[in-house]
Amino acid sequence: MSTTLRDRLDRPLRDLRISVTDRCNFRCTYCMPAELFGESYTFLPREEILTFEEIERLVGLMVPMGVSKVRITGGEPLLRHGLHELVRDLNAIPGVDDIALTTNASLLGRMAGQLRREGLGRLTISLDSLDSAVFSQMNGDKLSLQRVLDGIEAAEAAGFDAMKINCVVQKGVNDHTLVALARHFKGTGHIVRFIEFMDVGTKNGWQLDQVLSAHEIFGLIDSEMPLEPAPPNYPGEVARRFRYRDGDGEIGIISSVTQPFCGECSRARLTTDGQLVTCLFASGGSDLRAPLRAGASDDELREQIRGIWSGRSDRYSEERTEQLGNQRPERVEMYQIGG
Ligand code: SAM
Ligand code: SF4
Ligand code: SF4
């Protein structure tokens, strides 16, 4: 039977974000800072990572509960061997209407075409600055800006249009380069989305004074290239949309810190090792890998997933203000749940 699950705040389950690896070839300071994720850092061993078959089984069970959009993320998802096979198989699950992938684009040059052919619908690319010094500073000086730009070009050639370009904004770090980023993509059909620096996890040393607010971000872009608000494309869209007044495209601003949007949050997250997490800021998840591997039936797994979602009452961003100043509790890290 197909019934959309609702949580305790009456929010449906619609989106599933799947982290396919906890590894990454970047060391973004706001996500996996190099001093904490050095050469000796131990990532998950292969046997702890969900197989594609396990992921596909869980997605197949969640579709009748409401999931229609799937986003593949990580870590850096393009590091997961054979990723195109997962895309192909997810695409074959009836009811999965939309498969997207979030990537740092460094490996897209050789993978974009195959991913497109296997049914990947949409790409989100993370790119924090077009200033190569700022770019390197933010991504831990791993790979060149040119490598990312080449990845974007390869994706365009493969037929991905209207890509989202995610830019994490940190005050005093890349705020002076936002206008140039917006200008570069204006008129291309791609949509730059500026993201307020978030206090995800416990490892990025987040401070409120490092956040440039959505209001300030809007002001910076609007003063150079006038903007007007645009309506959401669908309920629960995380980015607020703004159109260029000259009709030459749009930007988005994701204001999770200053204007939270928990009320319409329909996203669940599956970690690389099979935990189902109901909020980006959760202290942990519910283990689905153990029952999967212990031979649980579909009914038993469905029951467990139903229980997790129907008991959900997370609204962390809305509660953040009350929490600021208090001791920060344990949290899942961004590279484990993939944004
Ligand atoms: N490695 C891929 C990438 O960077 O696109 C996918 C995983 S990454 C964790 C997903 C998204 O989360 C990226 O767009 C990244 O910029 C964003 N992100 C990571 N840490 C963040 C933070 N502290 N605040 C806001 N966004 C963050
Ligand atoms: Fe890697 Fe993405 Fe995290 Fe940067 S944001 S360290 S690219 S997982
Ligand atoms: Fe959803 Fe949690 Fe973010 Fe609120 S804080 S929008 S509940 S993920």
Side-chain angles (χ1 to χ4, degrees), residues 171-186:
K171 197 184 263 182
V173 179
N174 63 339
D175 42 357
H176 60 296
T177 66
L178 303 188
V179 171
L181 185 69
R183 185 171 282 129
H184 180 85
F185 288 102
K186 185 170 184 280

Side-chain angles (χ1 to χ4, degrees), residues 13-14 35 40 44 58 74 88 109 136 151 163 171 180 187 191 197-198 212 220 234 261 274 284 294 324-325 329:
L13 172 63
R14 294 238 184 276
E35 54 290 5
S40 57
L44 289 169
L58 291 175
R88 179 195 63 208
S136 296
M163 286 186 274
K171 197 184 263 182
I191 302 169
F197 177 36
M198 290 188 285
L212 193 74
L220 279 176
Y234 52 87
F261 36 78
L324 284 173

Side-chain angles (χ1 to χ4, degrees), residues 11 261-262 265 267 269 279-281 312 314-317:
R11 297 169 297 188
F261 36 78
C262 302
C265 180
R267 291 174 293 281
R269 297 174 159 89
C279 177
L280 198 49
F281 300 92
R312 174 186 191 244
D314 308 277
R315 42 185 291 279
Y316 172 79
S317 286

Side-chain angles (χ1 to χ4, degrees), residues 98-327:
D98 184 30
I99 305 179
L101 178 112
T102 307
T103 173
N104 64 29
S106 61
L107 299 169
L108 266 183
R110 55 185 162 86
M111 294 175 73
Q114 193 170 27
L115 289 167
R116 184 74 181 170
R117 284 192 296 280
E118 300 290 10
L120 183 65
R122 294 185 300 120
L123 266 179
T124 298
I125 287 169
S126 301
L127 173 57
D128 299 325
S129 182
L130 288 170
D131 176 311
S132 49
V134 174
F135 173 83
S136 296
Q137 182 193 347
M138 289 181 82
N139 82 16
D141 205 9
K142 283 294 177 190
L143 289 163
S144 70
L145 171 64
Q146 193 53 49
R147 184 78 180 256
V148 171
L149 297 176
D150 290 348
I152 295 175
E153 212 177 297
E156 285 169 335
F160 289 102
D161 49 17
M163 286 186 274
K164 307 263 169 60
I165 311 290
N166 275 3
C167 167
V168 176
V169 180
Q170 281 183 297
K171 197 184 263 182
V173 179
N174 63 339
D175 42 357
H176 60 296
T177 66
L178 303 188
V179 171
L181 185 69
R183 185 171 282 129
H184 180 85
F185 288 102
K186 185 170 184 280
T188 62
H190 307 318
I191 302 169
V192 180
R193 302 193 315 169
F194 297 101
I195 307 175
E196 288 179 345
F197 177 36
M198 290 188 285
D199 50 334
V200 190
T202 52
K203 297 196 162 64
N204 62 15
W206 183 90
Q207 300 281 343
L208 186 59
D209 62 11
Q210 298 167 310
V211 178
L212 193 74
S213 71
H215 182 71
E216 292 168 299
I217 296 169
F218 173 86
L220 279 176
I221 310 293
D222 180 59
S223 64
E224 297 278 332
M225 296 172 285
L227 293 165
E228 62 190 6
N233 287 311
Y234 52 87
E237 187 171 31
V238 294
R240 281 160 206 253
R241 299 174 60 216
F242 299 96
R243 275 191 292 254
Y244 291 114
R245 284 184 190 266
D246 65 9
D248 217 5
E250 66 180 75
I251 62 161
I253 304 183
I254 302 181
S255 56
S256 134
V257 178
T258 62
Q259 296 158 351
F261 36 78
C262 302
E264 295 187 323
C265 180
S266 55
R267 291 174 293 281
R269 297 174 159 89
L270 186 62
T271 65
T272 313
D273 59 353
Q275 310 272 320
L276 191 65
V277 176
T278 56
C279 177
L280 198 49
F281 300 92
S283 54
S286 307
D287 186 16
L288 296 179
R289 188 188 65 195
L292 264 176
R293 293 190 180 172
S297 67
D298 284 355
D299 278 345
E300 286 165 339
L301 287 168
R302 267 193 283 266
E303 205 45 47
Q304 187 174 351
I305 296 165
R306 268 203 197 99
I308 296 165
W309 191 265
S310 53
R312 174 186 191 244
S313 56
D314 308 277
R315 42 185 291 279
Y316 172 79
S317 286
E318 291 179 349
E319 290 165 350
R320 179 190 282 108
T321 324
E322 299 146 32
Q323 295 209 359
L324 284 173
N326 294 344
Q327 188 103 39

